[in-house]
Amino acid sequence: MEVPSIKSNTIQNLIKKPFIGIILMFAVFGGIFLKLLYFQFITHINGRPVLGSSNLFMLVSSLTAVLLIFSFVFLFSGRKTFGVLIIIDVFFTILFIADILYVRYYTTAITVPVLLAMKFLNSVEGSVISLFNKKDILLLLDFPFLIALLIIFRQRAHIKLSFVKRLVVFAAVLIITIPTMYISYNKSDLKNGVFDNNQIIKNMGILYFHGNDVFHFIKDGLLQSKTMTADEKKQMDDFYANKQVLGDKYKGVAKGMNLLIVQVESLQGFAMNKTINGSEVTPNLNKLAKESFYFDNFYYQVKGGNTSDAEFLTNTSLYPINEGAVYLRYPTHEYYSLPKALIDRGYITSAFHAYNPSFWNRSVMYESLGIQNFISYKDFNIDEFVGWGGYALSDESFFRQSLEKIDKTKPFYSMLITLSSHHPYDYFGDKSDIDVKPYEKTVLGNYLGAINYVDKCIGKLIEDLKNRNLYDNTLLVIYGDHYALPKTQAEDLYKLENVEPNNFNWLKLQKVPLIIHIPGVEGGQTISTTSGQVDLLPTIANLMDIDFPYAMGQDMLNKKEGFALLRDYSVVTDKYLYDASDGKVYDIKDGSLLNKDDYKDEIEKIRQLGKLSDLMIRKNAFKDIKK
């Protein structure tokens, strides 16, 4: 009678001790892997079917990455393996949630440089909440299950193996995973080089992307020399030495005038000249455009810094860095900037933004750009909140107070950065005059109402400039900083524009309006040459008769053929559009496919501009240039 009992206990211990730990380990493994797949497909970076051939390398790479992480945990954690895995699960759950929200707003995953900006997350709380999807609860469903298993098995939730045996398992996993990862990479579309983060994620998965990002951050940010090599210096010198001289049309027509730049939050091109239910969305901007130079083919070129990147483009004519934001990563570098050029000509330079001066690190970066006075929220009377989740000083009050605070004892350069029309475009109450049906209570409907309100404020700004006798002696520049709607919220936009929801139409919509009003110069001209934000500074410099040799952009009033390099390394020209996400070239007029080989060299030459700009910023190339 004793023998069966002993045998039974042995079997029970065999099941409950060694294998329970393994079962629990694979439960965590499976949970993380499913969350990883949820990210890949809920963000639409990868398309269905999940097990389709186009997803093969992503699936293999992702599975390999999870195994690799688990092998390290298994090697070093010993008896605490399961507890450490729970911590790992929590970490990756938080990371995947952050990635999903970031993709929904910025269209790409979060990176190490971007994490430097996460302390600002509470400032955009309204946007973050609006980006959550009910399905995201799926990311948390494994935790009740794992907690139940922990309670049930308690002391048996560990694996008793010597370090030598764990080392053998670890080595076996390495032998399997590293070659598999290498083969997946070389079989993917990445082997010929990549400029788009989403392409990395699509081909190799989010875990590979983060591992690669950490590696390059350490390699480029911490280990790489900050000094330009002779070859890099030659690339920079050759670019500026060989820049095409475009002409001198309109040269100096605004020389000695004040310069007022209004950067409007989320003002996108489709809102211009748009009528909805019989009412113009932007009547004041439309009127101003008819009296000015209006650029209707002007693309935003921001990256991870969004609004701050737009400021950087305008003030330096350099492209923003491809990872993170210049304002956060390189705020103390030297820059050859528009404010510095104007200071040399006796101007007072100021920036006005009714928010925390530490937001986007402006208080540090503005000094590097040569902005002498930064008027932030602490300098304003916060007498009315409109827009941006109830956080923002109304644009009407902002404009009025800004004009009062501008130092007019000398010629001035003032940059006004608005806030009210910040995503998610709520808290406007009765401030809008238009009926947005059938888009009422949608993100697009809220946006149209928000821009209608901002347009009214701009109308009052123009009247105020006239009443203060500034309008006839001020070069007035108004443009949008970046897109209005993330791609994930663009369904109604496609309907409004009556276009098919595809990458080609999405990229064509990534324009922002630019209006340049020059006193004494007959306006009413619409210029449709393809341009980007990097081209604004050389255009202003030409108008004000400023020699600006280090602009990467081109004067839009003199160039005949246009192009714009978007910061996902897509290229738009007057003739074609190259989509970096799928590597295809489309006819700009009708979206028909063109032969990529016919444009390959030209596309690569344009894309090199982004890499050169990145290099110059990272290596602080302007530190030895006299300002």
Side-chain angles (χ1 to χ4, degrees):
M1 297 294 292
E2 296 295 327
V3 174
S5 176
I6 293 171
K7 189 174 182 180
S8 176
N9 287 337
T10 301
I11 294 172
Q12 187 180 43
N13 289 337
L14 184 67
I15 293 173
K16 288 187 176 180
K17 288 186 179 179
F19 292 124
I20 288 301
I22 293 173
I23 291 170
L24 293 174
M25 184 171 174
F26 275 94
V28 180
F29 178 97
I32 292 178
F33 187 70
L34 289 174
K35 292 174 188 182
L36 183 153
L37 293 184
Y38 178 80
F39 165 84
Q40 298 287 151
F41 293 95
I42 197 67
T43 57
H44 304 292
I45 290 177
N46 290 80
R48 291 180 174 81
V50 174
L51 299 179
S53 59
S54 62
N55 296 323
L56 175 62
F57 299 119
M58 180 276 293
L59 292 169
V60 171
S61 173
S62 298
L63 186 63
T64 301
V66 177
L67 276 172
L68 196 58
I69 292 168
F70 272 56
S71 68
F72 276 99
V73 174
F74 184 72
L75 176 63
F76 293 107
S77 58
R79 292 173 59 89
K80 299 178 181 178
T81 296
F82 189 64
V84 174
L85 288 174
I86 291 292
I87 295 172
I88 297 280
D89 191 4
V90 172
F91 170 80
F92 280 113
T93 300
I94 294 171
L95 179 62
F96 292 155
I97 290 173
D99 280 330
I100 287 168
L101 297 181
Y102 199 76
V103 168
R104 285 175 183 160
Y105 193 79
Y106 288 102
T107 73
T108 191
I110 206 161
T111 62
V112 173
V114 165
L115 288 174
L116 296 173
M118 291 310 290
K119 63 182 178 180
F120 304 133
L121 188 60
N122 63 334
S123 300
V124 289
E125 182 180 357
S127 290
V128 170
I129 292 172
S130 77
L131 294 171
F132 271 104
N133 187 313
K134 292 179 181 178
K135 294 179 182 178
D136 297 341
I137 194 69
L138 293 172
L139 292 166
L140 307 176
L141 291 185
D142 64 326
F143 289 119
F145 174 71
L146 294 174
I147 291 170
L149 289 179
L150 269 178
I151 293 172
I152 292 170
F153 296 111
R154 291 188 295 274
Q155 300 301 322
R156 297 181 176 88
H158 59 264
I159 301 173
K160 289 184 178 179
L161 286 177
S162 67
F163 181 77
V164 174
K165 291 181 179 179
R166 284 186 276 121
L167 185 60
V168 170
V169 174
F170 173 72
V173 173
L174 284 185
I175 291 172
I176 295 170
T177 56
I178 291 179
T180 302
M181 188 77 76
Y182 179 79
I183 292 170
S184 296
Y185 181 87
N186 279 283
K187 292 288 186 181
S188 73
D189 295 333
L190 305 179
K191 61 182 177 181
N192 296 322
V194 65
F195 297 97
D196 180 15
N197 286 341
N198 285 3
Q199 279 294 93
I200 298 176
I201 299 169
K202 180 180 179 180
N203 282 270
M204 297 293 287
I206 186 65
L207 286 182
Y208 176 91
F209 169 77
H210 282 305
N212 184 65
D213 175 52
V214 170
F215 170 78
H216 283 290
F217 178 76
I218 294 172
K219 174 177 172 286
D220 298 337
L222 302 179
L223 302 180
Q224 195 175 76
S225 170
K226 300 295 191 297
T227 304
M228 293 189 80
T229 65
D231 181 60
E232 291 168 343
K233 182 71 163 56
K234 185 176 185 303
Q235 289 181 51
M236 174 182 162
D237 291 341
D238 286 348
F239 169 76
Y240 288 117
N242 295 320
K243 276 194 67 176
Q244 182 182 4
V245 178
L246 298 176
D248 57 5
K249 189 177 181 181
Y250 298 108
K251 184 175 180 63
V253 295
K255 184 176 182 179
M257 290 185 182
N258 302 313
L259 173 61
L260 181 64
I261 294 180
V262 181
Q263 179 174 294
V264 183
E265 177 68 38
S266 305
L267 175 61
Q268 197 165 337
F270 69 84
M272 289 288 292
N273 298 304
K274 178 68 65 180
T275 299
I276 184 165
N277 296 319
S279 298
E280 290 181 282
V281 176
T282 59
N284 292 293
L285 285 170
N286 296 344
K287 180 183 177 182
L288 181 64
K290 293 174 183 176
E291 302 168 353
S292 312
F293 291 95
Y294 173 49
F295 300 81
D296 65 348
N297 218 12
F298 183 71
Y299 285 81
Y300 69 81
Q301 295 169 307
V302 304
K303 189 66 174 177
N306 255 22
T307 297
S308 68
D309 280 351
E311 298 171 30
F312 181 74
L313 279 152
T314 296
N315 284 297
T316 65
S317 191
L318 292 171
Y319 293 92
I321 54 175
N322 202 38
E323 298 293 340
V326 179
Y327 275 39
L328 294 170
R329 289 188 64 182
Y330 306 107
T332 59
H333 281 195
E334 292 287 336
Y335 299 100
Y336 199 89
S337 69
L338 178 61
K340 289 178 179 177
L342 288 170
I343 287 172
D344 289 343
R345 288 158 178 78
Y347 279 67
I348 297 173
T349 62
S350 305
F352 296 76
H353 187 54
Y355 202 62
N356 193 321
S358 65
F359 194 69
W360 282 123
N361 204 26
R362 285 186 173 96
S363 56
V364 177
M365 186 67 188
Y366 281 171
E367 184 174 349
S368 295
L369 292 176
I371 293 174
Q372 297 165 313
N373 305 307
F374 178 21
I375 293 82
S376 67
Y377 84 101
K378 62 184 180 180
D379 304 303
F380 288 91
N381 175 22
I382 311 299
D383 54 3
E384 182 182 35
F385 289 98
V386 176
W388 199 12
Y391 292 117
L393 174 67
S394 72
D395 282 351
E396 180 179 354
S397 180
F398 169 68
F399 286 144
R400 183 186 69 251
Q401 293 187 57
S402 294
L403 289 193
E404 292 171 354
K405 296 177 183 297
I406 290 175
D407 187 340
K408 308 173 189 69
T409 58
K410 296 181 179 179
F412 63 79
Y413 163 41
S414 292
M415 186 174 200
L416 277 55
I417 302 143
T418 74
L419 271 173
S420 291
S421 51
H422 193 288
H423 186 277
Y425 317 119
D426 47 10
Y427 293 88
F428 278 89
D430 59 355
K431 296 294 183 179
S432 172
D433 291 337
I434 60 173
D435 175 9
V436 296
K437 291 185 181 67
Y439 304 105
E440 191 174 17
K441 296 183 179 179
T442 67
V443 177
L444 176 61
N446 289 344
Y447 171 75
L448 294 172
I451 288 301
N452 177 253
Y453 163 75
V454 175
D455 179 81
K456 287 196 297 182
C457 297
I458 290 173
K460 292 178 181 179
L461 169 67
I462 293 171
E463 288 303 312
D464 203 359
L465 285 168
K466 292 176 179 178
N467 293 335
R468 295 173 184 272
N469 296 319
L470 293 173
Y471 191 72
D472 292 333
N473 192 36
T474 298
L475 177 62
L476 177 62
V477 179
I478 300 177
Y479 64 92
D481 57 358
H482 52 70
Y483 57 84
L485 303 176
K487 196 173 184 179
T488 53
Q489 295 179 343
E491 182 179 352
D492 287 331
L493 176 57
Y494 290 128
K495 293 178 183 177
L496 180 72
E497 293 298 292
N498 194 29
V499 296
E500 292 294 321
N502 55 47
N503 279 1
F504 171 74
N505 286 324
W506 169 255
L507 287 173
K508 279 196 69 176
L509 284 168
Q510 303 315 299
K511 305 171 187 175
V512 291
L514 168 64
I515 299 171
I516 300 179
H517 179 76
I518 313 168
V521 176
E522 184 178 354
Q525 297 187 43
T526 297
I527 298 174
S528 298
T529 307
T530 303
S531 302
Q533 289 167 321
V534 75
D535 298 315
L536 179 54
L537 189 158
T539 305
I540 293 173
N542 177 62
L543 293 171
M544 301 187 76
D545 196 18
I546 298 172
D547 181 25
F548 204 95
Y550 294 104
M552 293 202 76
Q554 298 178 313
D555 172 16
M556 294 178 285
L557 292 168
N558 281 285
K559 68 178 181 178
K560 304 301 181 185
E561 295 184 357
F563 69 87
L565 172 66
L566 309 187
R567 287 312 277 145
D568 68 344
Y569 282 92
S570 294
V571 174
V572 186
T573 75
D574 295 336
K575 298 177 182 178
Y576 64 84
L577 184 154
Y578 167 74
D579 182 359
S581 69
D582 62 16
K584 296 177 181 178
V585 178
Y586 301 87
D587 188 294
I588 196 68
K589 294 180 179 178
D590 58 18
S592 59
L593 281 175
L594 301 174
N595 185 352
K596 181 180 177 180
D597 290 340
D598 293 341
Y599 305 94
K600 184 178 179 180
D601 292 343
E602 182 179 325
I603 290 170
E604 187 55 33
K605 183 178 179 180
I606 294 172
R607 283 158 61 101
Q608 286 296 325
L609 296 176
K611 292 197 290 184
L612 179 59
S613 183
D614 259 14
L615 172 69
M616 292 190 298
I617 293 168
R618 286 190 293 104
K619 294 297 184 77
N620 202 8
F622 296 103
K623 65 180 180 295
D624 297 321
I625 297 173
K626 288 185 178 181
K627 303 298 185 290

